[in-house]
Amino acid sequence: MTIPLFPEQDKATLEEKLREYFRAWVDYRARSGSTARSERPLKDESATVYQEMWHAFAAYCATRNLDTPSIEAADIKTFLALRGAGNANGRPRPSSKGQELSPRYAWRMLTLIDRVTRFQAQRDGATPNRAASELLQLNEYRYANASHRDPLPDYCTEAQAKRLIGYLTEVRHPESAEGPLTWKELRDRTAVALMLGAGLTPGDVRVLSLDGIAIAGGRKVGVPWKLALPGNGNAPPRETPVAEWAGRQLALWLSVRDAQGIAGELVFPSTRSGKPWSHTGCYESCKAVLSGAGMGDESGGVFKLRHTFALRQLAKGKTEAEVARWLGILDINSMTRYRHVLPNQVDVV
């Protein structure tokens, strides 16, 4: 049946009320002085991640007239399904590969809902809502936080990364045997460069727009140094730094893009008319680039480039919270898998 929505003003009021529950919970933990894991003060970066998660849930509940006492297990499961389909507010859009909700993220979402709703019930002198707690007893969620859920990431060794960067930034002269690169070949190599040099996913590459490229204010005149990516439902809008070599490659592509008269606002369209790059087209083109660089048979695929970017930043002393924000990762705990690699002093470019 159709669920009646609140009038816009009342919906906003309920959403703000639910947000206040979260703020009160965070404040309580900050003042508790407890050493218990479920009550001790939250680190700033954790509080920021949890806030985004709770705000998404609050927006979902507000559209369905759900305050904490009336939330049922089915409501939470629907929210998780919609969240995994790429929309935080309960209005689904078609999901795409690589955006499925991880079991660990679902586990942390359920744990957050359970703790905030229990806290609010205690403040109100009411019976705690056990919907999230009951879901946490199901095997699909119960063991989601086990260490085996986080296999070591595939990443490029120093030699692999140097070889790939050399291939991506190769300049082919007209008189060479292969001839100059076509605009599509340069597009494909630049897209892969941003996966390795800025941590982008194929989905990020496809939606990156010209106004998301920061050039002014960088260390090198005319060289892009930062990218702004739109939110995708699973993560908020974010910015990520660009390695200097990748920035130079992007500058070259932008000049060729302009010379070719390519239309539209997408940085990497599939046609000169500006048509968006399809998921399959982008993924296959980027795989072909790896194959051309002699990395086609290696494990990890294009996502090993993103892992390499993350490891490079962590090895340079950036915090897990910073790198997670650049990658658009909501659950900072998923960064722990990189810790098992870094102690081995892996060299990354």
Side-chain angles (χ1 to χ4, degrees):
M1 71 178 186
T2 302
I3 302 175
L5 301 180
F6 269 16
E8 196 61 36
Q9 182 177 358
D10 292 337
K11 184 177 73 171
T13 299
L14 176 57
E15 185 172 350
E16 177 56 30
K17 180 181 178 181
L18 292 167
R19 289 187 175 198
E20 174 55 33
Y21 293 167
F22 175 82
R23 289 193 290 267
W25 175 67
V26 172
D27 289 344
Y28 165 77
R29 291 186 59 156
R31 294 181 281 101
S32 70
S34 174
T35 58
R37 183 166 185 172
S38 62
E39 293 191 356
R40 66 191 180 197
L42 292 168
K43 294 180 180 180
D44 289 344
E45 55 266 32
S46 296
T48 299
V49 171
Y50 286 137
Q51 176 179 283
E52 195 283 330
M53 293 168 68
W54 182 263
H55 282 187
F57 184 63
Y60 165 84
C61 289
T63 62
R64 284 157 173 74
N65 195 7
L66 297 171
D67 201 345
T68 51
S70 57
I71 297 169
E72 298 181 355
D75 299 317
I76 301 176
K77 293 190 75 171
T78 298
F79 168 75
L80 292 176
L82 294 174
R83 186 82 163 153
N87 192 287
N89 298 323
R91 293 181 294 275
R93 61 174 173 80
S95 61
S96 60
K97 294 180 181 178
Q99 293 183 338
E100 292 83 3
L101 210 60
S102 71
R104 173 163 289 191
Y105 181 89
W107 177 86
R108 292 194 64 77
M109 190 78 232
L110 291 170
T111 301
L112 175 64
I113 294 171
D114 182 53
R115 289 179 179 172
V116 175
T117 54
R118 282 178 179 274
F119 168 77
Q120 187 57 37
Q122 185 176 16
R123 289 180 73 194
D124 294 342
T127 301
N129 186 319
R130 296 187 55 81
S133 177
E134 291 171 358
L135 287 175
L136 282 167
Q137 301 310 307
L138 300 178
N139 286 348
E140 62 184 299
Y141 304 121
R142 186 177 181 182
Y143 301 110
N145 204 37
S147 60
H148 72 273
R149 292 283 186 173
D150 278 333
L152 294 181
D154 287 307
Y155 58 90
C156 297
T157 65
E158 180 181 17
Q160 289 171 332
K162 285 183 175 179
R163 184 173 78 243
L164 178 57
I165 291 172
Y167 180 78
L168 297 176
T169 58
E170 174 190 16
V171 177
R172 292 219 307 245
H173 299 287
E175 62 272 17
S176 66
E178 300 88 352
L181 293 172
T182 67
W183 73 266
K184 286 191 174 182
E185 288 174 325
L186 182 60
R187 176 201 63 187
D188 299 349
R189 294 192 188 199
T190 306
V192 172
L194 294 187
M195 294 178 188
L196 179 61
L200 269 57
T201 65
D204 293 330
V205 163
R206 292 168 52 224
V207 300
L208 179 63
S209 62
L210 294 173
D211 62 7
I213 300 174
I215 298 177
R219 294 173 58 187
K220 300 289 183 178
V221 176
V223 176
W225 62 281
K226 183 174 65 174
L227 304 176
L229 284 306
N232 64 13
N234 284 343
R238 73 185 197 278
E239 294 183 340
T240 185
V242 183
E244 187 175 315
W245 68 266
R248 291 195 299 270
Q249 181 70 12
L250 177 56
L252 173 62
W253 161 243
L254 292 176
S255 67
V256 170
R257 185 188 184 284
D258 184 61
Q260 290 286 331
I262 295 174
E265 292 300 310
L266 293 175
V267 175
F268 300 107
S270 66
T271 64
R272 283 193 177 90
S273 64
K275 182 180 177 181
W277 212 356
S278 70
H279 174 89
T280 300
C282 176
Y283 189 74
E284 292 301 324
S285 294
C286 293
K287 280 179 59 181
V289 171
L290 293 183
S291 180
M295 297 174 61
D297 296 329
E298 296 169 3
S299 63
V302 296
F303 281 92
K304 74 186 301 177
L305 309 180
R306 176 173 161 89
H307 295 319
T308 305
F309 169 82
L311 285 166
R312 174 179 181 272
Q313 297 300 328
L314 293 169
K316 289 171 60 179
K318 303 302 181 183
T319 67
E320 291 182 1
E322 285 179 297
V323 178
R325 184 171 66 252
W326 293 338
L327 295 176
I329 293 175
L330 292 174
D331 184 3
I332 193 173
N333 287 277
S334 65
M335 298 293 292
T336 58
R337 58 182 170 167
Y338 294 120
R339 298 176 195 167
H340 301 296
V341 177
L342 285 173
N344 296 328
Q345 298 182 343
V346 174
D347 291 320
V348 290
V349 176

